[in-house]
Amino acid sequence: MIDRRKIASVLLVLGALLTAFASFQNTYGTVYQYGRGLDQSFTTTLWIVKGAPQTSSVDDAYYAAGGPVMITAVLALVAVVLMLRERSAFIGRPLAMGAAGALAGVVFFYVAQIQHEKEMMSYWPTGDGQSYELNYFAGTYLLGAGAIIAVIGAALAQQRPQPVVQQIDDEDAVVVHQLDHDDDTPPFGTEIPPDAQQETR
Amino acid sequence: MTVQQTGPTSTRRIFGAVLVLVASGLAVAATFLSAYAVEVTINSRTLRFEATSWVIERDDFRGALLLGPIEFGEPAVGAALVMALAAVLAFRVPATRVGSLLGAGLLVGAAWSAVTSVQATVKKLEELGPPVPVNVEQGDGITLLIVAAGVAVVSAVLHQELPRRVRPEETTGGVVIHQIDEEPDDTETPPYGYPVIVEPKEPKSD
């Protein structure tokens, strides 16, 4: 059976890398049709927004969540490294949960913001060839999946290692059966009086 | 270094749980305060846009600036719920304490994104090149959200089961084995000692 903490580390790394990768993918696009053949569309990543065809410029994204996503993903990876050694695991485990939570918070906010924009666009007047639409792209789904995977990984990582019970199978090893009374023989034995060593016949 | 887990509910963790609840309350309260405001003064007439995280409270521009609420309400309330549940349930199920860390993380992420959004709004309005100066204010809502996130992180750490060092003097009550070599040789005294041979007493001769 695979160790649960190893699965946790793998999931954390996968979630962090997936969200980092998703930040460079198209997350959503908006299409504005103003009528009389005047169309404009924008495609957004977590870093930039590209306009077409009238404005073919590349600008910073309005909801530029790329920085926070990358930093929280790196924190999650740092947590995995800290969890590799038992001495630093007690820092790594809470850091993993905090980083995964922050990653999920950033993604949650981003999706809520896009959803709100979509709702606002639905209230705009249409007709006369005018229409406005917002479409989600694969980047948003990858972001959501990465954040969920990271949170699951962080939750699994919270399992503490079971204390190792040493079983002494070696017959030659020293076994202390009982040492809790004053009249027990101490570990180094009872002092032997010199006279007692001479056995009388 | 020897580490062991602290025992049952300690004063630190109770204090942490109370602070987690305080942070949850602050986070929810922050969503109902003004998140940001945009103000323009034209010919001694002031036009103002103001929004919480849920609704637009005032828009003198009648939608011309295409501004809307900064959507941190749902993430912040979600984070507050996770933290509050973790703080309450942890008294019965200690493993749920980790939920306060998850909630604190969510809150930090939401607060960070909210601040980024305000900065993006400032930049967007600057790029429009308005003929009159536009003043963008970060509202009390976002300031309180940042405070809530800070309190949440500190309280979540206090709420956790942290390892502590075990001092040698703490173990004096039990059995102490000073030295038993891994490879015992014949010259060492065995743990039960050597059998004491008692010499029979000689009869007294008067």
Side-chain angles (χ1 to χ4, degrees):
Chain A
M1 186 179 155
I2 304 171
D3 186 4
R4 202 169 164 182
R5 283 180 296 158
K6 282 181 186 167
I7 298 173
S9 298
V10 170
L11 288 179
L12 270 167
V13 171
L14 182 65
L17 293 181
L18 198 57
T19 45
F21 171 74
S23 75
F24 295 102
Q25 304 303 306
N26 290 333
T27 49
Y28 72 98
T30 46
V31 180
Y32 305 92
Q33 290 181 328
Y34 304 109
R36 286 172 293 179
L38 287 172
D39 295 352
Q40 200 172 15
S41 63
F42 295 94
T43 310
T44 304
T45 71
L46 260 61
W47 303 93
I48 55 166
V49 56
K50 287 176 280 189
Q54 278 85 354
T55 55
S56 56
S57 61
V58 176
D59 293 318
D60 290 342
Y62 182 50
Y63 309 125
V69 162
M70 291 301 274
I71 291 171
T72 47
V74 167
L75 276 177
L77 294 176
V78 169
V80 171
V81 172
L82 288 172
M83 284 193 300
L84 291 176
R85 293 185 67 187
E86 200 51 50
R87 285 180 69 182
S88 55
F90 75 99
I91 300 172
R93 279 191 292 265
L95 181 63
M97 187 48 92
L103 187 59
V106 172
V107 172
F108 192 171
F109 179 93
Y110 186 75
V111 173
Q113 200 76 12
I114 300 172
Q115 189 60 31
H116 174 73
E117 191 171 333
K118 190 173 186 176
E119 282 172 17
M120 275 180 67
M121 287 172 71
S122 68
Y123 297 132
W124 293 355
T126 54
D128 230 8
Q130 294 179 351
S131 67
Y132 312 98
E133 62 180 71
L134 186 150
N135 300 307
Y136 288 103
F137 292 145
T140 305
Y141 300 109
L142 287 176
L143 274 175
I148 290 169
I149 289 170
V151 169
I152 292 171
L156 289 177
Q158 304 307 310
Q159 186 192 34
R160 296 179 187 281
Q162 298 296 320
V164 179
V165 179
Q166 289 184 342
Q167 291 184 339
I168 300 168
D169 297 328
D170 189 359
E171 290 180 358
D172 296 331
V174 174
V175 179
V176 178
H177 294 282
Q178 184 183 14
L179 282 172
D180 55 1
H181 295 294
D182 290 341
D183 54 352
D184 283 339
T185 307
F188 285 91
T190 307
E191 187 183 0
I192 302 170
D195 294 343
Q197 291 180 3
Q198 296 174 359
E199 208 172 324
T200 55
R201 297 190 179 186
Chain B
M1 183 181 74
T2 308
V3 292
Q4 77 171 35
Q5 305 306 324
T6 51
T9 311
S10 67
T11 311
R12 171 180 58 77
R13 288 209 295 274
I14 292 171
F15 181 60
V18 172
L19 271 185
V20 166
L21 290 173
V22 169
S24 305
L26 289 177
V28 173
T31 65
F32 295 100
L33 295 176
S34 170
Y36 76 112
V38 178
E39 203 170 85
V40 178
T41 305
I42 307 169
N43 297 331
S44 70
R45 185 178 166 217
T46 302
L47 301 175
R48 188 173 172 85
F49 171 91
E50 196 171 330
T52 67
S53 67
W54 302 108
V55 292
I56 297 169
E57 293 201 314
R58 180 179 169 182
D59 187 5
D60 298 335
F61 304 99
R62 297 179 184 178
L65 292 179
L66 294 176
L67 296 171
I70 293 177
E71 292 285 317
F72 63 83
E74 288 161 11
V77 170
L81 275 176
V82 171
M83 288 194 299
L85 279 174
V88 173
L89 291 177
F91 288 106
R92 295 196 75 112
V93 188
T96 57
R97 272 196 296 265
V98 76
S100 58
L101 274 174
L102 176 64
L106 277 168
L107 204 54
V108 168
W112 192 352
S113 298
V115 172
T116 309
S117 275
V118 172
Q119 290 170 348
T121 304
V122 173
K123 194 175 174 186
K124 179 185 169 186
L125 291 171
E126 282 174 354
E127 284 173 355
L128 287 174
V132 287
V134 177
N135 182 31
V136 181
E137 298 168 8
Q138 180 177 293
D140 294 338
I142 289 183
T143 307
L144 191 60
L145 190 69
I146 295 166
V147 172
V151 173
V153 169
V154 173
S155 61
V157 172
L158 289 174
H159 196 213
Q160 300 309 303
E161 190 177 13
L162 301 176
R164 65 184 173 92
R165 284 177 183 234
V166 177
R167 292 176 186 167
E169 56 263 32
E170 289 178 7
T171 60
T172 50
V175 175
V176 179
I177 299 173
H178 294 282
Q179 185 186 0
I180 291 179
D181 291 346
E182 290 178 358
E183 295 179 3
D185 55 39
D186 292 339
T187 59
E188 287 187 347
T189 307
Y192 281 91
Y194 290 108
V196 179
I197 301 165
V198 181
E199 192 176 354
K201 290 181 180 178
E202 291 180 7
K204 290 181 181 178
S205 58
D206 294 330

